[in-house]
Amino acid sequence: MTVSTKPSLLEMEAIAARHPHLLQSSSTKRLKTALIGIGVLLYLVFSWWFFSIGHVLANANWGIAGTYLADWVSYEVRPEIAIAADGTMALSYARNSPLGPNPNPDWVTLEKKTVTRTIEAPAAAQASKPKGSSSFNFMAPNAALGDNQTVQAPNRIETRSEEVVTRALIAFDRSTSIEVASGVVTATHGGETLVMTVDGADTATPQGPLPRWARQKRPGEKITLSFGLTGWAEVEGDEVSIRNRFFGWANFLFDTNSPFFGKPYGEVASLIFSGERIDPARSNLSLAWNNILYNAEWQHLDVWTKLLQTVIMAFVGTLFASLIAFPLCFLAARNITPNFFANQLTKRFFDFLRSVDMFIWALFFTRAFGPGPLAGISAIFFTDTGTLGKLYSEALENIDDKQREGVKSVGATPIAVQRFGVLPQVLPVFASQALYFWESNTRSATIIGAVGAGGIGLKLWEAMRTNSDWENVAYMVLLILVVVFIFDSISNALRTRLMGRKTH
Amino acid sequence: MATSVLSRQLSESGALVERHWQELNARRRLYTLLGLALLVLTLCASLWFANDSNAGKFFDRLPHFFDFVGDLVPRDAMEIVRAMFDLPSPYDDGSFKYNYTDGRLYLTESLYIPEYFHKMLETVNIAIFSTVVGVFFGFILSFLAARNLMPNPWIRGPVRRLMEILRAFPEVVIAGFFLAILSLGPIPAIAAVSIHTIGALGKLFFEVVENADMKPEEGLRAVGANWIERVWFGIVPQVLPNFTSYFLLRLEINVRASTIIGAVGGGGIGELLRLAIGQGHEAKTIAIVILLFTTIFAVDQFSAWLRRRLVGDQAFQLAQ
């Protein structure tokens, strides 16, 4: 026979009637919960209005978000195909191309032929304009020579023969490609094909309906093709812009000016260890190392130096803070120094150091010492003296008095009482707190760096402000996370040894 | 020496113990000395490096240390009050420096909120709002990360890793990323601060949950309550005071954090402070610092008082 463990409704009511105090909480308590809930809800509604969150979110450009996120881990190569009215084309790459000034990637196939054209040639100066200067020069190569040709030659009609591109095929991946030939752009993506005619001036017309991945706002205007993660393209009347996206960081080790750029790793290794000297002045190994350190795009040496600055700021700042807080905390502790005024004075001093924020100290010291790690060290030092001093004096006030009495009872001097009666109890706590702050300051030093107090913060901030160097941001964030993780582990291990497993 | 006199009178085994003790002592002293030497060496190298890579050198700049304080002296003391309450200045020459009245936020025709008070309110509101958001998600995640409530390591592990990442990711980066998308304003600051708060509070919360008494939970399990009921009726009432205390602690920290994020473009008073310092507007700077100081002090005191009432002194450990 089975007995149902679930009481029937009647039984439940009977039980409820017998023990009303268990089931009915007091009305004030129920009201309190409801009131808190309503309060929080009202606050959220108020904040929604206060920050006009809905408006901001609606105006946000979430498409950019995707591009930025993709930029963290990938790079784009941007060939542009200019289409002339007679159907001929010219292919160029955007400045700052990660593949260097003259890339010739294998996913671009060009058919060229030499034709005789009659064109309106602008002034001669423009014809001699250097093309594809390195992206890292601030000046055009000719600028320093001072050959500015300010004389405006009139445009003249000229007939000459030149090599032009008649057909260009850009293969994004196996299912996506764009072909440009004689005024017709053919895009293929995911099994669908879109044919567009371009007139070499300002209208682009799709033939047939637009597939899902193509968009055109008004007839004749540019057509945007999005191929998801692999890239996108824009077709205009006189230009086809390709944005082909690749996973990874192309010039992470060697920038495009380096002789090692673009070579496979095996070849670089063999060049370094057994190749001819590229630069006769030094070995290939030192050349390669130098090229990595001074990589113009990634600035490895600079980033590492700034990271070291951050670590050092946290280390020196916390060390000095604990050294200064150590003697002061004895003054602040009620049980060690019975003098009320000395107690209050030191405690308020700690409060002052602590409550002026680290950020304000950082701004202050940036003005005093100029931007750099000294400002950061001083800011951390000042704030942490306050915090550590407070924590240390609290630790002192919590000590067991028996040890002190024991040492005192054998007639020890006051210094000896502190040394043997107090220190052994609090030293592990002190060290553990200092270690904890060292580790946590490694994190906060990133933020005060952004206002000029040295360290990697400013570099990180600059990379983000330009909105184009998100891969550098990713690199620096990765380095910061690794460093924080390492110091976290070191500080945890040391603290466990000092304090035992229980406290952390 | 006393020990040497003693050791002569020791028995053979006693002398052995004594010698061993001396050896241990000598070795410990050596290690301490080595450690100290290493520390001093690292410190010197660090100081040299910091000084070398700084824009101004320490000893060159030391005489100028109080220049900044000197620069901060306004023309007369009333200027600070005028800057704070947006009163017109008699020195007004149309420049940006004395445009105190510009930032007024008019409630009615004649009644206005001074600019800095308004911005301070915004900063505090950023802190409160992001703490509330952080607490909400941290609350949910903490139960999934606690060993005693979530024995399945395949859920617990990823949740803990997620919180670690949220916590360790620099706030500046999150703010910068959202600034790029949402443009200037308080929302990037909210996003940055609340994401950090989720990670930091989630950790503190789940440690509290792991220390909770499991007997109520067992009781609920015995009468057939499901997981959510067990957590809601068995664990939450126990941990709520501690959670509230951590919430208040975090609120204190976030008021500071939102000031900092403001200075790098996240809206609020931080931006104004950075501008005032950068352009050398002494009265404005002092007004903002006083306001900031008062607010942070008030928030600290209020939350300390509330925490003490809630859980007593044990809630006063620091948490980052």
Side-chain angles (χ1 to χ4, degrees):
Chain A
M1 192 176 114
T2 51
V3 179
S4 168
T5 51
K6 203 173 169 65
S8 73
L9 210 61
L10 259 172
E11 276 176 295
M12 294 242 284
E13 270 171 17
I15 296 172
R18 254 178 285 148
H19 310 280
H21 62 285
L22 287 181
L23 292 172
Q24 280 174 350
S25 49
S26 66
S27 60
T28 50
K29 197 180 163 193
R30 263 185 301 171
L31 209 63
K32 204 168 120 191
T33 320
L35 275 180
I36 289 177
I38 291 172
V40 170
L41 204 68
L42 279 179
Y43 173 71
L44 289 181
V45 171
F46 163 74
S47 298
W48 191 271
W49 165 82
F50 186 85
F51 298 120
S52 50
I53 294 179
H55 180 71
V56 172
L57 290 186
N59 283 1
N61 199 340
W62 295 108
I64 294 182
T67 318
Y68 287 164
L69 278 181
D71 268 346
W72 288 53
V73 289
S74 61
Y75 64 97
E76 274 183 349
V77 186
R78 307 169 173 175
E80 315 227 308
I81 306 168
I83 302 167
D86 59 358
T88 57
M89 297 171 254
L91 185 102
S92 63
Y93 288 87
R95 246 165 44 79
N96 296 357
S97 168
L99 295 185
N102 288 310
N104 197 14
D106 55 2
W107 43 270
V108 176
T109 323
L110 299 178
E111 265 173 33
K112 293 180 180 174
K113 80 176 170 204
T114 310
V115 293
T116 310
R117 304 171 69 196
T118 306
I119 52 170
E120 193 178 324
Q126 199 133 16
S128 70
K129 189 185 171 193
K131 54 178 180 181
S133 70
S134 156
S135 55
F136 313 116
N137 288 349
F138 287 106
M139 294 182 290
N142 288 355
L145 305 173
D147 59 346
N148 301 342
Q149 302 200 353
T150 45
V151 186
Q152 281 289 323
N155 291 354
R156 56 209 155 91
I157 306 296
E158 179 182 87
T159 308
R160 62 171 181 217
S161 65
E162 57 182 23
E163 193 178 47
V164 293
V165 179
T166 52
R167 182 173 164 274
L169 177 73
I170 287 108
F172 281 83
D173 57 28
R174 253 177 297 151
S175 64
T176 309
S177 64
I178 290 182
E179 191 188 353
V180 190
S182 60
V184 176
V185 181
T186 315
T188 315
H189 176 61
E192 287 172 292
T193 305
L194 174 67
V195 181
M196 292 154 279
T197 48
V198 286
D199 64 349
D202 51 7
T203 41
T205 327
Q207 309 290 312
L210 288 174
R212 243 181 340 99
W213 39 268
R215 239 172 339 134
Q216 188 179 30
K217 275 186 185 152
R218 270 180 288 274
E221 272 190 3
K222 71 178 176 198
I223 303 170
T224 311
L225 315 168
S226 33
F227 305 134
L229 278 183
T230 161
W232 52 286
E234 272 177 6
V235 180
E236 279 171 278
D238 55 351
E239 194 178 44
V240 179
S241 319
I242 309 284
R243 303 276 188 274
N244 198 357
R245 186 171 282 287
F246 296 92
F247 185 74
W249 298 329
N251 41 20
F252 183 66
L253 285 181
F254 302 108
D255 66 30
T256 49
N257 291 335
S258 160
F260 298 102
F261 175 71
K263 296 196 166 71
Y265 292 120
E267 197 178 327
V268 170
S270 70
L271 257 179
I272 286 174
F273 293 114
S274 56
E276 284 281 301
R277 282 193 169 194
I278 298 172
D279 177 7
R282 57 181 156 190
S283 73
N284 279 349
L285 182 64
S286 87
L287 179 69
W289 181 238
N290 198 54
N291 280 345
I292 291 177
L293 286 187
Y294 296 99
N295 184 324
E297 195 79 352
W298 291 88
Q299 305 175 346
H300 291 295
L301 184 64
D302 200 24
V303 169
W304 298 341
T305 317
K306 293 277 160 62
L307 192 65
L308 187 64
Q309 276 182 14
T310 302
V311 173
I312 278 177
M313 275 155 58
F315 168 67
V316 179
T318 320
L319 186 65
F320 277 177
S322 51
L323 286 182
I324 298 296
F326 180 69
L328 286 183
C329 69
F330 283 89
L331 277 179
R334 263 195 317 268
N335 53 348
I336 309 279
T337 313
N339 185 332
F340 176 79
F341 288 106
N343 285 174
Q344 286 301 314
L345 204 68
T346 19
K347 278 195 172 150
R348 293 294 86 79
F349 175 62
F350 289 151
D351 282 351
F352 166 71
L353 288 179
R354 205 153 30 98
S355 57
V356 177
D357 202 59
M358 185 190 288
F359 162 69
I360 297 175
W361 285 124
L363 286 172
F364 172 82
F365 285 113
T366 318
R367 282 293 284 269
F369 292 128
L374 280 185
I377 288 177
S378 320
I380 293 177
F381 165 53
F382 270 59
T383 344
D384 275 16
T385 306
T387 324
L388 286 177
K390 173 183 186 264
L391 291 174
Y392 284 4
S393 61
E394 275 170 8
L396 279 179
E397 285 174 359
N398 285 335
I399 57 167
D400 183 5
D401 232 20
K402 295 208 181 64
Q403 272 190 49
R404 255 171 92 221
E405 278 163 15
V407 180
K408 231 183 243 173
S409 68
V410 294
T413 58
I415 298 288
V417 174
Q418 311 305 337
R419 167 67 186 85
F420 297 102
V422 179
L423 265 194
Q425 289 185 61
V426 291
L427 214 49
V429 184
F430 284 10
S432 144
Q433 297 282 15
L435 280 171
Y436 178 75
F437 273 86
W438 174 44
E439 177 244 308
S440 112
N441 280 331
T442 317
R443 239 171 285 174
S444 21
T446 323
I447 295 188
I448 56 169
V451 293
I456 201 160
L458 192 59
K459 224 167 159 41
L460 199 57
W461 188 243
E462 279 164 359
M464 280 187 292
R465 290 311 283 181
T466 58
N467 279 347
S468 58
D469 295 332
W470 288 105
E471 66 275 22
N472 293 35
V473 175
Y475 172 51
M476 283 184 255
V477 167
L478 214 61
L479 284 180
I480 293 173
L481 288 186
V482 168
V483 166
V484 167
F485 176 74
I486 291 173
F487 284 127
D488 205 9
S489 317
I490 295 178
S491 134
N492 265 335
L494 284 176
R495 268 187 293 159
T496 324
R497 286 190 158 195
L498 282 170
M499 308 275 296
R501 282 235 156 253
K502 192 81 183 88
T503 32
H504 53 87
Chain B
M1 247 175 102
T3 44
S4 57
V5 174
L6 264 174
S7 62
R8 236 178 278 140
Q9 300 160 349
L10 285 169
S11 67
E12 203 171 308
S13 57
L16 194 71
V17 171
E18 171 75 17
R19 204 173 62 240
H20 189 60
W21 183 79
Q22 295 281 10
E23 274 171 14
L24 280 180
N25 215 11
R27 191 187 300 164
R28 215 192 61 176
R29 201 162 290 152
L30 182 73
Y31 283 161
T32 312
L33 277 179
L34 276 181
L36 271 182
L38 191 71
L39 192 70
V40 169
L41 207 68
T42 325
L43 183 64
C44 289
S46 305
L47 282 177
W48 173 83
F49 174 76
N51 190 37
D52 198 53
S53 57
N54 204 64
K57 303 291 167 271
F58 184 71
F59 290 107
D60 296 347
R61 294 295 306 172
L62 208 53
H64 303 278
F65 189 77
F66 288 106
D67 279 10
F68 182 56
V69 181
D71 286 348
L72 274 183
V73 180
R75 288 167 90 156
D76 66 54
M78 275 307 286
E79 278 296 279
I80 301 171
V81 179
R82 291 187 196 110
M84 197 185 277
F85 294 102
D86 284 5
L87 302 171
S89 164
Y91 307 108
D92 195 352
D93 49 2
S95 73
F96 190 55
K97 192 168 176 177
Y98 298 108
N99 65 344
Y100 303 143
T101 51
D102 274 10
R104 290 178 177 180
L105 180 79
Y106 283 95
L107 291 180
T108 63
E109 282 295 301
S110 53
L111 189 68
Y112 64 89
I113 306 177
E115 184 184 15
Y116 295 153
F117 284 87
H118 173 228
K119 288 290 175 187
M120 196 63 236
L121 201 68
E122 187 174 309
T123 299
V124 173
N125 211 0
I126 290 173
I128 299 178
F129 186 68
S130 37
T131 315
V132 169
V133 173
V135 165
F136 179 75
F137 289 103
F139 182 82
I140 295 174
L141 289 182
S142 67
F143 297 111
L144 299 177
R147 187 184 294 274
N148 49 356
L149 290 179
M150 185 51 68
N152 182 354
W154 292 107
I155 298 178
R156 191 174 6 113
V159 170
R160 283 190 183 191
R161 293 297 93 71
L162 174 75
M163 292 196 296
E164 267 163 29
I165 292 169
L166 293 184
R167 183 163 75 228
F169 217 79
E171 277 161 308
V172 174
V173 176
I174 306 172
F177 182 71
F178 281 101
L179 271 173
I181 303 166
L182 302 169
S183 77
L184 290 181
I187 306 215
I190 292 177
V193 178
S194 36
I195 285 178
H196 188 83
T197 307
I198 295 172
L201 272 187
K203 179 192 179 232
L204 294 175
F205 280 4
F206 88 69
E207 278 169 1
V208 173
V209 171
E210 286 192 342
N211 286 331
D213 182 8
M214 288 303 280
K215 292 209 178 72
E217 198 258 5
E218 273 167 31
L220 283 164
R221 190 195 291 261
V223 296
N226 66 18
W227 189 80
I228 292 179
E229 285 166 344
R230 279 181 352 236
V231 168
W232 189 250
F233 296 109
I235 304 292
V236 169
Q238 286 187 58
V239 294
L240 214 50
N242 261 322
F243 277 22
T244 319
S245 148
Y246 281 135
F247 162 73
L248 291 169
L249 184 77
R250 197 68 223 175
L251 189 66
E252 278 176 44
I253 300 173
N254 281 353
V255 172
R256 292 157 206 267
S258 54
T259 317
I260 298 177
I261 297 290
V264 289
I269 196 125
E271 181 87 50
L272 294 181
L273 177 63
R274 197 176 52 99
L275 278 178
I277 291 188
Q279 294 169 341
H281 297 167
E282 59 291 291
K284 286 183 175 181
T285 310
I286 296 183
I288 297 177
V289 168
I290 291 176
L291 208 56
L292 209 59
F293 188 82
T294 323
T295 313
I296 291 179
F297 188 73
V299 171
D300 278 11
Q301 292 300 313
F302 173 71
S303 99
W305 171 77
L306 210 57
R307 267 188 292 153
R308 221 171 237 131
R309 277 198 52 186
L310 275 170
V311 267
D313 278 329
Q314 53 143 337
F316 281 79
Q317 44 184 305
L318 260 127
Q320 192 77 25

